[in-house]
Amino acid sequence: MNEQNQLLELVLGQASPLAGLLPGFKPRAAQLELARAVGEALSANGGLVAQVGTGTGKTLGYLIPALLSGQKTVISTGSKTLQDQINDKELPLLQSALAPHLRWAVLKGRSNYLCTRKLEKFLRAPGLNLPGSMAGLLQEFWRTSPDGDLDPLLAKLTPEIVEEITSNSEQCQGSRCLKREQCFLLEARRKAAEADMVVVNHHLFLADLALRAANHGQLLPRWQAAIFDEAHMLPEIATQAFGVQVSMQRINTLLKDIGKEAARPGLLLDALGTARKASDKLFAKLNRLLGPTSGQGLSPEHLAKLAPLMEALESTLLILIDILEQEPEQSLGERLGLLLVDLQTLPNPLSGRSVAWARTRGSSPALLLSPVEVASHLQQTLYAQQGSLVFTSATLAPVDDLHPYLERMGLDPETTTLSLPSPFDLASQTCLYVPRHLPDPNQEQFTLRLADELRKLLMLSGGRAFVLFTSHRNLEQVAKELEKELPFTLLVQGRAGKLALLKQFVEKTPAVLLATASFWQGVDIPGPSLSAVIVDKLPFAPPDDPLVAARCALMEENGGSGFAHILLPEAILALKQGLGRLIRGPDDKGLLAVLDGRIWRKSYGKRFLKALAPLPITDKLEDVEQFFASHG
């Protein structure tokens, strides 16, 4: 261990070989402390949970000890931004400075790669009417792409075309595919198997765990160590991975694939039509019961009303399975079988362990069954494996107590923890503005008063702001008000893709971006393009969210408080993640504005202020004006 620490001090110290390759490199005590802790966890085949403030040099702080350990390591991130940063910046840097023979691979989910089999079928489809030279573009990409990753092409493709030329987990034929020798996904997996480090995202990592648990294969190669960056996102993503979902889109896609790929589609026409009608009736009934909602729990009464329609759909699927037994392509019948099992599982939530709910907003309504807590699933799938595990993020706990995170993740309470503050001088780099004069967010006049307050703040910041909303309703109403007279480029989530909006935000500085939850984290815009993050209200989860409600109920059954132990800490973390968008470097300056006076009026406000310390707080616009004036 002493030898390893000496190596870390050499690599991260004054005489570091990184200094000549990394502009502005200088030793950081916190980075070295993190690297030592990660190195010890890897050497001991143990675990580490580390909360590491922005600016510590976290990424190199775990990559270097992983490299020195010699273990095959999976690096899992919560965002594409960080995945690209590790692949394009950090790992090439380490290869140049320390390990010329370092091999790494980036592995994504199936739907990120062009599927040769589906592309050929798509281009041969009768009556294909692609716009312009799209067919030539796709063929040229297939011939020249080194890895088949559609990322550089996505801006030119419609979602419908992407669906036609990629395979999801059910459509992929794996070893039975006649085009497997030309499969980009299999080639990516081969490279990952040979690599020293594999960079993935949390969705893929957890999907791999769920597949292995169900004995349905695997997505990742065997590994000796796994490091999870942006680990605060893991519980939510694990809830998705270990749940069941039956959506209208999943059913329609499967029925369409059967119609296209079956050897004798004529025999299936009537059965396919009957199944489509049964699916349409089920989801139409669901929409009538719940209305357009992003998520609502399904009560026993709801499930009883849906039961006859679910049973009718099951009957049509059984008929299709019988017909498909005569087909040479057995994967279609297997997919139907998996759908049937999920459909039969949905109406049977286990009290305190799973919750049935529905999502009806958008073009593909869905029925879902999700675990209330993911701890037991992770214990059975992840921790049962032999291997070192490191969990790290800038926001794992409201302050420094990491044990609630250990508990939610099902980690041993004796797991080593580490909490390192940000080296940035937040007291001088930031200003926290919380007005007292606005009405509470649940009052009718709040949105109009909010728009007026935003105009004043945006004029003081000179645009250059993210305005983050806790609801789409507030975003849409405020956008209508601000469009009337705001003298800056106004970008609104939903009017373009996320990457396009971020690109425009930088190119059209000073701009203002109005957005919701997906922009609270995983966005990196250092420098003066972003000088204000403004939040419409404290980001409490909706109390009627079925998963949140179930977790709160379970907490209270066990003697805790759903508000104090779940809603409040998670709202504080969400607010800190919003702050994390603002200060990305030692020279960044910026305003964090929370337009929710409950911080002043409610007792829980003190916990928000404690978590945001040492930010200087004011309720006066004149102080905000002075802050921007003093920082140019």
Side-chain angles (χ1 to χ4, degrees):
M1 185 58 64
N2 287 334
E3 182 180 347
Q4 184 187 60
N5 285 341
Q6 289 173 0
L7 269 174
L8 289 172
E9 288 177 22
L10 177 65
V11 173
L12 293 171
Q14 292 287 354
S16 171
L18 301 173
L21 298 171
L22 189 60
F25 175 85
K26 57 183 178 181
R28 308 181 202 184
Q31 185 181 54
L32 182 57
E33 187 175 353
L34 171 65
R36 286 172 176 160
V38 172
E40 288 170 8
L42 299 182
S43 298
N45 201 33
L48 171 69
V49 174
Q51 179 168 262
V52 184
T54 304
T56 305
K58 169 165 55 73
T59 315
L60 288 178
Y62 61 69
L63 285 176
I64 289 171
L67 173 64
L68 296 178
S69 76
Q71 297 181 25
K72 186 178 182 76
T73 305
V74 173
I75 310 294
S76 182
T77 74
S79 67
K80 184 180 182 300
T81 303
L82 181 55
Q83 191 177 36
D84 289 345
Q85 176 188 315
I86 291 170
N87 179 52
D88 300 338
K89 182 181 174 184
E90 268 86 4
L91 289 176
L93 174 70
L94 295 183
Q95 186 183 55
S96 298
L98 301 173
H101 301 297
L102 174 65
R103 298 171 300 171
W104 74 90
V106 175
L107 192 57
K108 299 181 180 181
R110 286 183 182 86
S111 59
N112 292 94
Y113 298 97
L114 180 71
C115 173
T116 300
R117 176 182 66 86
K118 288 191 69 179
L119 174 67
E120 290 186 355
K121 258 186 192 272
F122 178 59
L123 293 177
R124 289 199 308 266
L128 184 66
N129 187 23
L130 287 176
S133 57
M134 183 59 69
L137 178 70
L138 291 171
Q139 289 171 327
E140 179 67 14
F141 178 82
W142 177 75
R143 284 195 299 269
T144 60
S145 173
D147 54 15
D149 185 351
L150 286 168
D151 193 44
L153 206 61
L154 286 180
K156 300 177 182 178
L157 304 178
T158 65
E160 293 75 20
I161 291 178
V162 172
E163 185 180 342
E164 291 287 350
I165 62 174
T166 59
S167 288
N168 60 32
S169 58
E170 293 186 338
Q171 294 169 322
C172 180
Q173 295 181 351
S175 59
R176 293 173 299 190
C177 181
L178 297 178
K179 297 292 180 181
R180 66 189 312 272
E181 297 301 322
Q182 300 165 287
C183 179
F184 288 112
L185 173 63
L186 289 180
E187 177 63 13
R189 288 183 177 172
R190 184 190 65 76
K191 290 179 179 177
E194 296 173 352
D196 306 306
M197 291 190 182
V198 184
V199 185
V200 303
N201 62 44
H202 297 339
H203 287 278
L204 182 61
F205 192 101
L206 289 162
D208 176 67
L209 291 182
L211 275 177
R212 289 173 190 254
N215 293 317
H216 288 157
Q218 62 187 63
L219 305 175
L220 303 182
R222 291 189 175 276
W223 46 267
Q224 296 166 293
I227 299 176
F228 302 92
D229 201 343
E230 301 174 313
H232 61 279
M233 301 169 69
L234 280 170
E236 182 180 345
I237 298 172
T239 301
Q240 300 171 32
F242 294 114
V244 169
Q245 175 174 310
V246 174
S247 67
M248 177 180 273
Q249 181 178 8
R250 177 183 175 187
I251 295 171
N252 287 345
T253 298
L254 176 50
L255 297 179
K256 183 172 68 173
D257 288 350
I258 292 170
K260 288 194 301 185
E261 298 184 18
R264 295 175 295 173
L267 296 176
L268 292 159
L269 282 178
D270 289 343
L272 287 172
T274 303
R276 285 194 188 94
K277 287 177 184 176
S279 173
D280 291 345
K281 286 180 180 178
L282 171 62
F283 289 107
K285 178 71 169 181
L286 183 69
N287 284 327
R288 288 196 300 272
L289 280 176
L290 304 184
T293 175
S294 56
Q296 184 173 327
L298 292 173
S299 66
E301 291 76 18
H302 288 139
L303 291 170
K305 291 176 180 177
L306 293 170
L309 296 170
M310 295 175 74
E311 291 167 4
L313 178 58
E314 289 172 19
S315 298
T316 67
L317 298 182
L318 285 168
I319 293 170
L320 278 171
I321 288 173
D322 287 342
I323 299 173
L324 286 172
E325 283 184 354
Q326 310 304 317
E327 284 285 323
E329 179 46 74
Q330 291 297 301
S331 65
L332 295 171
E334 291 171 7
R335 286 170 62 187
L336 275 171
L338 291 173
L339 175 61
L340 186 63
V341 169
D342 287 349
L343 193 59
Q344 293 169 337
T345 304
L346 275 166
N348 303 300
L350 298 175
S351 179
R353 294 179 57 188
S354 58
V355 57
W357 58 291
R359 184 179 59 239
T360 53
R361 176 178 288 165
S363 59
S364 181
L367 295 160
L368 304 99
L369 185 71
S370 301
V372 175
E373 293 291 0
V374 296
S376 61
H377 293 276
L378 293 171
Q379 287 165 346
Q380 293 164 16
T381 58
L382 179 57
Y383 312 147
Q385 298 187 32
Q386 294 296 312
S388 311
L389 300 173
V390 174
F391 303 85
T392 185
S393 169
T395 49
L396 292 177
V399 190
D400 291 328
D401 181 10
L402 295 173
H403 283 90
Y405 182 80
L406 299 183
E407 186 175 353
R408 186 171 185 198
M409 291 289 291
L411 287 159
D412 187 323
E414 300 302 315
T415 300
T416 302
T417 61
L418 177 68
S419 189
L420 299 171
S422 170
F424 297 152
D425 183 8
L426 296 179
S428 65
Q429 289 180 251
T430 57
C431 173
L432 173 60
Y433 172 65
V434 184
R436 296 178 189 263
H437 59 271
L438 291 178
D440 280 356
N442 58 359
Q443 295 184 7
E444 190 174 336
Q445 67 271 36
F446 174 72
T447 307
L448 282 177
R449 296 279 298 279
L450 174 68
D452 185 55
E453 190 75 12
L454 283 169
R455 286 190 196 94
K456 297 173 185 176
L457 286 170
L458 294 171
M459 294 308 296
L460 292 176
S461 69
R464 304 178 300 146
F466 278 6
V467 184
L468 301 177
F469 294 86
T470 52
S471 74
H472 288 276
R473 179 176 173 273
N474 278 4
L475 183 152
E476 290 159 4
Q477 290 182 350
V478 168
K480 289 178 183 176
E481 292 296 320
L482 293 183
E483 282 173 328
K484 297 174 184 176
E485 54 188 77
L486 198 67
F488 310 109
T489 298
L490 188 67
L491 305 169
V492 181
Q493 182 180 342
R495 299 181 185 176
K498 182 175 180 178
L499 294 179
L501 286 173
L502 292 173
K503 184 179 180 183
Q504 290 179 62
F505 183 81
V506 174
E507 291 176 349
K508 297 185 178 181
T509 294
V512 175
L513 173 64
L514 309 186
T516 57
S518 63
F519 284 81
W520 285 70
Q521 52 193 352
V523 175
D524 189 7
I525 300 183
S529 292
L530 180 62
S531 296
V533 169
I534 307 170
V535 179
D536 68 334
K537 62 180 180 178
L538 295 173
F540 287 110
D544 58 350
D545 179 290
L547 295 173
V548 173
R551 288 179 57 217
C552 288
L554 184 61
M555 175 65 71
E556 287 165 7
E557 283 177 18
N558 294 327
S561 163
F563 180 79
H565 295 119
I566 294 177
L567 295 178
L568 182 56
E570 292 183 5
I572 292 171
L573 286 175
L575 194 57
K576 291 181 73 173
Q577 287 154 13
L579 173 63
R581 302 313 98 222
L582 184 62
I583 304 299
R584 309 298 293 171
D587 299 321
D588 288 344
K589 316 287 182 183
L591 167 75
L592 175 64
V594 183
L595 305 185
D596 190 339
R598 289 178 295 177
I599 282 185
W600 300 113
R601 296 189 285 271
K602 300 289 187 179
S603 58
Y604 57 72
K606 294 176 183 177
R607 288 187 60 180
F608 280 97
L609 296 180
K610 181 180 179 182
L612 292 171
L615 272 66
I617 185 170
T618 181
D619 60 354
K620 296 178 174 60
L621 273 174
E622 307 90 82
D623 292 337
V624 175
E625 183 176 13
Q626 178 60 37
F627 173 80
F628 281 115
S630 64
H631 291 299

